[in-house]
Amino acid sequence: MPFSRISHLPILFGVLFGVLMISLVALAADKNPPPPPPAHARSPVPAVTDEYVHKEFGDNCSLLGGPPQFVGDLDGDGVDDLVVAARCKNPMADQAEYSFRVADPYNSFLGFGDVKVTSTFASDEPERRGICLLIVHGVGPEAWRSDKPKPKFLLINLPFKTLTVKRLALKKRTVLGVYMEERGEGEQTSSVIFWDGKKYRYQILGADLE
């Protein structure tokens, strides 16, 4: 074997060793178990009052009697978040003052992405007008009760009849989702709202075949 070829053998072995190590690391990463599922949601103790809602979302919003309140880790950061149903007279008016984001996952799913437009949509049922879902992401040890600035969301136009928060299995992880039994056009349809890492998304789960 010529000397030049022999001199290249260490380099060749080094390259092969590097490729082997990269493959082993990738294989080990693939075998890493998925993160554990979030803890089950529970009710806040004590229950949320209108005083809290006015503090975080303004006087235009008040609690909606009937639907339960939920506490759980919706965004996967290990800190509890809050979910409550409310009625808000003018969702767009106070978002800058109280630093919350108005979003419409339902109409975004249907192809209407401009919340400035969809916030003007009104239900044909007077008792349904202004019904919203308020979500507060927790920050620090005090979570959603913290006085520190925290991400807050006011979700409009959700056609829910009942609400519950429970686990939702996605492709690579399990999260907490807000499950809804719908009314109106979606009567006998179930759906879910969940955090995708950037925003809340709406997803249809199916229809009651009874």
Side-chain angles (χ1 to χ4, degrees):
M1 179 181 293
F3 176 78
S4 60
R5 293 186 180 181
I6 295 176
S7 64
H8 286 114
L9 284 179
I11 298 175
L12 178 60
F13 286 139
V15 171
L16 291 175
F17 180 77
V19 172
L20 177 61
M21 291 303 296
I22 292 173
S23 300
L24 290 175
V25 170
L27 183 61
D30 289 340
K31 290 184 178 180
N32 286 340
H40 294 288
R42 60 194 186 282
S43 300
V45 179
V48 172
T49 64
D50 272 333
E51 181 181 2
Y52 176 87
V53 171
H54 295 162
K55 173 187 172 185
E56 298 292 349
F57 293 89
D59 292 340
N60 272 324
C61 294
S62 299
L63 284 174
L64 185 66
Q69 303 174 0
F70 298 97
V71 170
D73 183 12
L74 272 71
D75 60 352
D77 65 353
V79 181
D80 280 337
D81 311 311
L82 173 72
V83 181
V84 296
R87 188 186 300 274
C88 298
K89 298 176 183 177
N90 188 349
M92 303 296 291
D94 289 332
Q95 62 174 336
E97 178 71 19
Y98 290 89
S99 301
F100 60 81
R101 185 190 309 175
V102 179
D104 190 346
Y106 177 74
N107 281 299
S108 293
F109 175 83
L110 297 177
F112 301 96
D114 190 346
V115 72
K116 292 181 181 179
V117 174
T118 62
S119 64
T120 65
F121 293 175
S123 171
D124 294 333
E125 306 173 60
E127 69 275 13
R128 295 289 301 170
R129 291 174 187 169
I131 289 182
C132 305
L133 203 60
L134 307 181
I135 299 178
V136 180
H137 285 184
V139 174
E142 296 182 352
W144 56 274
R145 293 187 184 276
S146 174
D147 288 331
K148 297 178 181 179
K150 47 195 176 290
K152 296 181 290 187
F153 303 86
L154 192 157
L155 308 185
I156 62 175
N157 294 327
L158 296 175
F160 61 85
K161 180 168 58 177
T162 64
L163 292 173
T164 187
V165 175
K166 55 186 179 180
R167 291 171 177 171
L168 171 69
L170 302 178
K171 289 183 178 180
K172 295 184 179 180
R173 60 195 176 100
T174 299
V175 301
L176 285 182
V178 183
Y179 287 76
M180 304 181 293
E181 294 295 330
E182 298 189 6
R183 62 181 299 164
E185 293 182 2
E187 192 75 31
Q188 297 185 330
T189 297
S190 60
S191 56
V192 64
I193 298 292
F194 67 95
W195 180 253
D196 70 356
K198 296 181 179 179
K199 62 183 179 180
Y200 280 97
R201 296 181 57 185
Y202 169 92
Q203 178 177 303
I204 292 177
L205 297 176
D208 187 350
L209 299 180
E210 294 184 0

